[in-house]
Amino acid sequence: DAGVIQSPRHEVTEMGQEVTLRCKPISGHDYLFWYRQTMMRGLELLIYFNNNVPIDDSGMPEDRFSAKMPNASFSTLKIQPSEPRDSAVYFCASSDVTGPYYGYTFGSGTRLTVV
Amino acid sequence: DQQVKQNSPSLSVQEGRISILNCDYTNSMFDYFLWYKKYPAEGPTFLISISSIKDKNEDGRFTVFLNKSAKHLSLHIVPSQPGDSAVYFCAASALGGGYALNFGKGTSLLVTP
């Protein structure tokens, strides 16, 4: 398996623009997570899905952020409009039911810079 | 509020010596504790975990110790190798509270030759 695949690896955008981050989880994993890493807050959970259904979105910072999982092999995280404070590394991770015990598999991340 | 805390942002150790990374937590409902390792420009990778019913778990050079009464865990790496230089994240899960992992902010380990 190719692991969790995220695209793009890097994104630079201007304030006010829409940004879409993409994630392909590992086949057979029924949990998908979006995390954001910043110096100030570390790794924080934004939202997670189980069987394509959003379970906990309490970490989504505000209405400018939205996430979807239209099928088991694809998820998007959208920011509209983007702001400089959204600059961070965004990670997608997936797991099966053993995730809390044996860990999630993370993608390589998308480094977002909003100027 | 940060429920998992790693109070040492960085640690430097000589090759061959023991590295000890520490982690404290505040939520007594946490069931499992995990350590992740992260190299620059890569995602975190799972290293080792421990259940709250155990106090020690070993995997090769890596051992995790859990002290539930003190709400403290530590990762020991013996012997340390230059390839161990990375950022180490402590994480915890509370199954009754959902499936999410709560992460600490990480400790950057540098192993010098």
Side-chain angles (χ1 to χ4, degrees):
Chain A
D1 200 323
V4 176
I5 299 172
Q6 291 187 246
S7 64
R9 288 298 307 273
H10 303 274
E11 177 80 39
V12 180
T13 190
E14 290 186 346
M15 182 174 63
Q17 296 298 306
E18 177 180 295
V19 176
T20 300
L21 311 182
R22 297 172 175 81
C23 176
K24 176 178 168 56
I26 290 175
S27 177
H29 281 186
D30 47 8
Y31 288 87
L32 184 138
F33 309 84
W34 283 100
Y35 278 83
R36 177 171 70 175
Q37 184 185 18
T38 60
M39 289 294 291
M40 288 293 294
R41 301 176 66 87
L43 271 166
E44 53 179 341
L45 177 71
L46 300 178
I47 185 171
Y48 80 90
F49 297 82
N50 178 219
N51 292 322
N52 313 336
V53 176
I55 302 300
D56 183 357
D57 65 355
S58 59
M60 296 286 262
E62 46 198 274
D63 291 345
R64 298 184 297 105
F65 285 69
S66 62
K68 293 182 180 180
M69 192 164 186
N71 57 63
S73 59
F74 184 67
S75 177
T76 59
L77 178 68
K78 187 175 292 186
I79 309 172
Q80 166 64 20
S82 57
E83 296 182 3
R85 60 192 167 121
D86 301 330
S87 297
V89 181
Y90 290 80
F91 288 103
C92 176
S94 71
S95 81
D96 57 21
V97 69
T98 66
Y101 321 111
Y102 300 124
Y104 311 153
T105 302
F106 279 79
S108 297
T110 295
R111 180 174 294 277
L112 173 65
T113 303
V114 183
V115 298
Chain B
D1 192 25
Q2 201 85 16
Q3 298 185 63
V4 178
K5 299 178 183 179
Q6 295 176 257
N7 294 318
S8 298
S10 63
L11 175 68
S12 183
V13 171
Q14 273 193 319
E15 182 178 5
R17 300 284 188 115
I18 183 171
S19 295
I20 300 176
L21 296 98
N22 294 303
C23 177
D24 297 295
Y25 62 95
T26 58
N27 188 343
S28 58
M29 300 300 292
F30 285 144
D31 303 289
Y32 261 80
F33 303 89
L34 302 88
W35 285 93
Y36 275 79
K37 178 178 178 179
K38 184 182 180 305
Y39 292 117
E42 295 183 11
T45 55
F46 171 73
L47 193 57
I48 191 171
S49 67
I50 187 168
S51 162
S52 59
I53 63 172
K54 293 187 175 181
D55 54 18
K56 178 182 174 182
N57 188 28
E58 286 182 81
D59 184 1
R61 296 186 297 113
F62 302 91
T63 302
V64 57
F65 295 92
L66 175 63
N67 182 333
K68 282 190 67 177
S69 61
K71 294 191 175 67
H72 177 83
L73 64 155
S74 60
L75 174 69
H76 292 211
I77 307 173
V78 183
S80 302
Q81 299 173 353
D84 297 329
S85 297
V87 177
Y88 289 79
F89 290 95
C90 174
S93 67
L95 295 184
Y99 229 78
L101 286 178
N102 295 272
F103 282 86
K105 290 189 178 180
T107 297
S108 179
L109 173 65
L110 176 64
V111 180
T112 57

